[in-house]
Amino acid sequence: FLIQKFILNNKEYDTSVCFIQDLANSFYKIKSKNKILWAHALLSEMIKEDISLEKQIPFFLNYNHIIAISNEVKLDLIYNFKGFQNNIKLLYNPLNRDNIIKKAGLLYPIEFKKYENKLKILSIGRLIPSKGFNRLIKLKQKLESENIEAEFFILGQVENKQFYNKLKKEINDSGISIHFLGAKENPYPYIKNADIIVQPSIHEGYGLVVAESLLLNTPVIASNINAYKEFANNEIFYVPNNDDAFSNEAFEAIKKIISGQRKGDLSNTNILDIKEYVNQLKAIL
């Protein structure tokens, strides 16, 4: 707030970009010739209960362009914010392939060394309810009941302490263990060296972790949500986006991967490289 008020508001820019995960804000007051609102999530899912969608419309009116990172986000915006169809553009999140591959090879995660002979299952995301990490508990229990040794890791920062504390209690009460890695400046060695990525999200705007995992040739099991299907097509193992069915179907997918079944052919995906991304962005602006 102070930076915006005393520094940013006193200058004029060629372009200003407001990246939003949930709500638009007063960033539009920044003086710029070209104002872009970049939507990274399904706003209808993320909107706060005490703020109606209608109250967001005045904020949207102040931007020249509204960019959605997936078609699902775009359709969500069109459905909930009438009259903005012509302003909303679709631009998938990109991957800087060379940079990711380089960073992935810089180290071997120290947290993995103790479990090199075990199946290492990694989930990535902010510690918030919509990421569905509680679904991992039954999955771990299922694996243990079938005598499959696996260690579960969650990589991501705590954004909702109440959810985090509740999740830890549920894990402790269940008698299993899941390792919390916190946020990492370079997550790519963890993705590369995990045996399986499991993304149990209830909803996503895009799902960049899945794209990064495909790039690094790590098998992916994920909720059957449209955000992943838009770019991953059939190159990941989909399981029902349902608490009761998730663990059983994910367990079957893990058995398939252990037996040697593989997906992840990049040529069958719609993953966008950074160079093509820049060209598409220029065309929009």
Side-chain angles (χ1 to χ4, degrees):
F1 170 77
L2 293 176
I3 290 173
Q4 178 175 323
K5 182 176 180 180
F6 294 107
I7 299 177
L8 301 181
N9 284 354
N10 294 323
K11 295 182 180 181
E12 184 171 350
Y13 301 88
D14 296 312
T15 300
S16 60
V17 181
C18 176
F19 291 96
I20 56 170
Q21 294 281 8
D22 41 29
L23 306 175
N25 54 46
S26 60
F27 188 79
Y28 70 84
K29 294 180 181 178
I30 300 263
K31 298 175 184 177
S32 70
K33 300 171 186 175
N34 193 23
K35 298 180 180 181
I36 304 170
L37 185 68
W38 220 298
H40 282 253
L42 299 175
L43 296 197
S44 61
E45 297 284 352
M46 304 294 290
I47 200 95
K48 294 179 180 178
E49 292 181 1
D50 59 337
I51 300 178
S52 67
L53 290 167
E54 289 75 17
K55 289 183 179 179
Q56 287 286 287
I57 291 177
F59 292 103
F60 279 70
L61 290 171
N62 286 281
Y63 290 91
N64 305 104
H65 302 284
I66 302 171
I67 296 180
I69 63 167
S70 71
N71 192 53
E72 188 164 16
V73 171
K74 179 180 177 180
L75 293 175
D76 182 69
L77 288 170
I78 291 173
Y79 178 79
N80 289 290
F81 298 96
K82 310 300 182 183
F84 293 101
Q85 289 90 333
N86 295 331
N87 283 357
I88 301 173
K89 304 294 191 301
L90 172 63
L91 185 60
Y92 292 120
N93 279 336
L95 292 185
N96 189 331
R97 298 189 184 192
D98 294 340
N99 187 50
I100 290 173
I101 292 171
K102 179 181 178 181
K103 286 185 174 181
L106 291 179
L107 58 89
Y108 183 86
I110 189 170
E111 298 92 340
F112 285 1
K113 288 184 178 180
K114 185 179 178 181
Y115 307 106
E116 286 184 299
N117 296 323
K118 286 188 176 183
L119 194 68
K120 295 175 290 297
I121 297 177
L122 177 66
S123 300
I124 303 178
R126 295 170 293 138
L127 272 294
I128 56 176
S130 64
K131 298 300 180 181
F133 291 132
N134 58 299
R135 294 172 169 177
L136 299 175
I137 297 173
K138 286 186 177 180
L139 177 57
K140 178 77 185 298
Q141 290 176 321
K142 181 75 173 175
L143 288 169
E144 289 185 355
S145 69
E146 298 292 333
N147 297 317
I148 297 176
E149 292 191 346
E151 293 294 327
F152 280 59
F153 301 84
I154 296 177
L155 191 157
Q157 69 185 52
V158 178
E159 288 198 6
N160 186 320
K161 288 186 178 180
Q162 183 178 359
F163 170 75
Y164 173 62
N165 291 331
K166 181 181 177 183
L167 178 62
K168 285 199 352 181
K169 185 179 186 305
E170 288 177 2
I171 291 170
N172 291 333
D173 291 346
S174 70
I176 64 162
S177 64
I178 293 179
H179 307 279
F180 291 90
L181 302 175
K184 299 292 181 181
E185 185 176 349
N186 180 11
Y188 304 119
Y190 293 84
I191 297 174
K192 178 182 178 180
N193 291 287
D195 295 302
I196 301 171
I197 302 295
V198 175
Q199 292 299 102
S201 295
I202 298 168
H203 58 80
E204 288 281 357
Y206 177 74
L208 192 59
V209 170
V210 171
E212 292 166 342
S213 302
L214 290 172
L215 175 63
L216 295 173
N217 298 312
T218 305
V220 178
I221 299 170
S223 303
N224 187 17
I225 56 179
N226 291 331
Y228 298 144
K229 292 180 178 179
E230 283 192 42
F231 67 87
N233 296 325
N234 196 38
E235 293 306 317
I236 67 177
F237 293 86
Y238 294 106
V239 294
N241 186 19
N242 177 283
D243 286 351
D244 294 330
F246 185 91
S247 58
N248 288 332
E249 294 296 330
F251 172 73
E252 294 300 323
I254 288 173
K255 288 201 300 183
K256 290 178 182 178
I257 293 170
I258 292 174
S259 69
Q261 290 190 39
R262 284 291 185 270
K263 295 186 178 186
D265 186 345
L266 283 180
S267 65
N268 293 330
T269 69
N270 299 319
I271 295 174
L272 195 62
D273 186 67
I274 189 70
K275 295 177 182 178
E276 177 59 26
Y277 175 84
V278 170
N279 291 333
Q280 291 190 22
L281 179 59
K282 286 181 178 178
I284 290 174
L285 304 181

